[in-house]
Amino acid sequence: MDEMQPSRRRVLASGIAGATAAMVRPSTAGAAPTGGLLAPRPPMGWNSWNSFATTITEAQARETAAIMREKLLPFGYDIFTVDIQWYEPEASSYEYNGNPVPAMDGYGRLIPAPNRFPSSADGSGFTTLAADVHRMGMKFGIHLMRGIPRLAVKRNLPILGTRYRAADIADTGSICSWNPDMYGVDMTKPGAQAYYDSVFRLYAGWGVDFVKMDDMSRPYDAHAPEIEGAHHAIANSGRPMLLSLSPGETPVIRGEHVRRHAQMWRISDDFWDNWEMLEAQFTRLENWNPWRRAGAWPDADMLPLGRLALGKRDTKFTPDEQRTLMTLWSIARSPLIMGGDLRHLDAPTLALLTNREVLAVNQASTDNQPHFVDDGARLWSARPEGSQDRYLALFNPTDKPRPVGIPLRDLGKAGTVRVRDLWSGQAIGAATDRVVRTIPAHGAELLRLS
């Protein structure tokens, strides 16, 4: 399947039977097992999906991590994540093998394919790679599909520490519509939580800091027991691991539940470098805005910038659309996870990712909110932490340049303010009573008003 198609993660039939109890179970989401708050600010990092699909190898991961340490870590990008099918020996593209034979241990837990990750050949999993990433000053993340490997069920492998086996807990009717690796886990069955506990305990032992768990957020109510199961398994592991739920569209009505059980959750299907997809994220981020809080971040997905799709092409976003993307993700405080191939990181893309004043909006702003003042325009504002200034993001989603503006009174300001362009880093004069700027088609400006 082409990497550009949102149907890669097609919607499954949704249902809510049996989920009501899951919605009210007490939870300590956001809290690390050792105390404190996981993800107090939007996570920042890099993920292999947009550039490597299923195919990344240990050598490529190490090369990329070294570039990330040099180019992006100084600006706060500190989570390095190996995406889907690191356990698949024959992974080769954006398509999935119809009859996979994943690498796994004797308890049905996925382990790295040793032909792709040689340091795992001794049975230590990602321990060596994670330790090396940690020595670079970064966190190590992996992707995980919901459920238990179908091959583990076929072999009916034992569940560690129990008398149960894979077939006892598998829900063979709960399958992912776009990936053939797993069956769901029936969390009502004895041994089900023990299986998830064993999985996350193994990955905690490797030194994993971040788990992007896929096929989770839809249909949400059907998967809510496994979302809770993963959350509790992380708590039981004793290691603070961020949980990122994928794909979307997570239903907004389940905002309270999801933010109690995960630190990030996808608000859309896979996001790629397509203007229609970008324009659709405005409404989604507006709808999710009330649910965002420290430790719980609605996720508009990775940044498809630079070289993409197994090196076949560069991003299709225009420079103005790229600025719109970064401005929107920053003012709405979405996680910033770069997806492009860092081995081909060009100067304009690097500059886009590393503007410190823009990143401060993402990492250190409050009172972030959309404003609805004019058809054919999008506006957001926020406050810098510890300041009476205002951030103002102006967007023009139309196909022609147009003025976009807002009265200062709508921002709690009056009289005259000084205006600074955060993208250029330049003062651009003063505004009295109203801020208005002419914005290019599909473009954006990000301002600080003092």
Side-chain angles (χ1 to χ4, degrees):
M1 190 176 294
D2 186 273
E3 86 283 358
M4 284 295 298
Q5 297 302 318
S7 57
R8 170 181 172 267
R9 307 207 193 285
R10 291 192 178 92
V11 179
L12 301 175
S14 182
I16 62 172
T20 303
M23 297 302 168
V24 298
R25 185 183 301 172
S27 173
T28 56
T34 54
L37 186 69
L38 286 170
R41 301 184 187 277
M44 299 173 65
W46 178 86
N47 176 290
S48 62
W49 171 253
N50 290 147
S51 45
F52 288 95
T54 62
T55 70
I56 193 168
T57 65
E58 182 167 354
Q60 292 166 335
R62 290 180 178 279
E63 181 181 10
T64 301
I67 298 168
M68 180 175 168
R69 173 185 57 183
E70 177 188 356
K71 301 289 188 180
L72 296 181
L73 179 60
F75 297 88
Y77 296 85
D78 65 352
I79 302 174
F80 177 88
T81 302
V82 175
D83 206 88
I84 194 167
Q85 286 202 329
W86 40 267
Y87 47 81
E88 172 56 67
E90 298 180 357
S92 61
S93 69
Y94 283 95
E95 297 182 359
Y96 303 106
N97 295 329
N99 295 294
V101 184
M104 59 184 183
D105 69 7
Y107 298 103
R109 301 177 297 182
L110 296 167
I111 58 176
N115 63 319
R116 294 170 55 198
F117 296 91
S119 69
S120 72
D122 62 356
S124 63
F126 276 128
T127 301
T128 299
L129 181 57
D132 290 343
V133 169
H134 292 158
R135 277 190 285 271
M136 294 181 187
M138 301 187 297
K139 301 178 179 70
F140 182 72
I142 60 173
H143 175 285
L144 184 64
M145 292 297 299
R146 175 183 67 91
I148 187 168
R150 297 185 194 183
L151 186 62
V153 177
K154 180 179 180 180
R155 296 177 179 176
N156 204 19
L157 296 177
I159 297 168
L160 182 64
T162 78
R163 60 185 178 86
Y164 302 105
R165 291 183 170 268
D168 296 325
I169 67 167
D171 181 353
T172 58
S174 177
I175 60 175
C176 177
S177 64
W178 46 264
N179 177 277
D181 296 345
M182 314 289 269
Y183 288 128
V185 170
D186 183 344
M187 297 305 295
T188 68
K189 296 293 183 65
Q193 186 63 50
Y195 174 73
Y196 270 128
D197 286 352
S198 74
V199 168
F200 281 92
R201 193 173 298 116
L202 175 66
Y203 299 160
W206 292 349
V208 170
D209 306 294
F210 177 96
V211 177
K212 174 186 173 183
M213 201 160 182
D214 219 331
D215 190 37
M216 284 291 249
S217 287
R218 71 174 196 229
Y220 192 88
D221 293 347
H223 297 168
E226 287 185 87
I227 291 170
E228 293 191 355
H231 165 71
H232 293 307
I234 290 174
N236 294 338
S237 78
R239 181 178 180 83
M241 287 184 274
L242 275 69
L243 180 61
S244 169
L245 301 183
S246 183
E249 188 166 334
T250 305
V252 177
I253 199 171
R254 296 299 184 240
E256 181 56 38
H257 184 266
V258 71
R259 74 177 185 175
R260 286 192 288 118
H261 292 95
Q263 286 70 53
M264 290 169 50
W265 59 90
R266 285 271 298 280
I267 66 170
S268 73
D269 210 316
D270 276 17
F271 175 77
W272 279 94
D273 47 336
N274 172 283
W275 170 251
E276 287 72 25
M277 289 184 177
L278 176 51
E279 188 174 19
Q281 298 298 67
F282 280 97
T283 299
R284 293 188 177 107
L285 286 165
E286 291 161 2
N287 290 341
W288 274 106
N289 191 55
W291 295 104
R292 184 188 59 251
R293 68 182 181 193
W297 306 103
D299 177 18
D301 204 8
M302 296 170 290
L303 306 169
L305 301 170
R307 186 68 53 85
L308 304 171
L310 297 168
K312 294 178 181 178
R313 60 179 179 80
D314 291 328
T315 186
K316 295 177 182 176
F317 282 136
T318 67
D320 284 322
E321 290 167 349
Q322 292 177 50
R323 181 173 289 191
T324 290
L325 169 63
M326 284 297 295
T327 302
L328 179 59
W329 266 234
S330 294
I331 195 74
R333 305 199 74 188
S334 174
L336 295 177
I337 310 295
M338 171 59 171
D341 191 336
L342 300 186
R343 301 171 304 172
H344 301 279
L345 187 62
D346 58 50
T349 304
L350 179 61
L352 193 73
L353 293 169
T354 58
N355 183 309
R356 291 191 185 277
E357 291 188 275
V358 174
L359 295 179
V361 180
N362 179 266
Q363 293 291 295
S365 60
T366 62
D367 194 26
N368 307 69
Q369 58 179 293
H371 298 269
F372 306 97
V373 299
D374 192 7
D375 288 344
R378 301 278 191 166
L379 300 92
W380 278 71
S381 72
R383 297 182 185 275
E385 287 183 359
S387 172
Q388 294 302 308
D389 291 357
R390 295 287 293 198
Y391 291 129
L392 178 62
L394 306 172
F395 302 94
N396 174 16
T398 73
D399 294 331
K400 295 180 180 179
R402 60 155 292 171
V404 179
I406 187 171
L408 289 177
R409 66 176 180 271
D410 290 357
L411 304 175
K413 294 288 186 181
T416 299
V417 295
R418 299 188 308 275
V419 182
R420 178 177 177 82
D421 182 343
L422 298 190
W423 280 112
S424 70
Q426 301 296 314
I428 55 175
T432 301
D433 296 331
R434 179 178 177 86
V435 178
V436 61
R437 301 283 293 168
T438 298
I439 310 296
H442 297 185
E445 287 197 7
L446 185 55
L447 310 174
R448 181 164 180 160
L449 312 180
S450 302

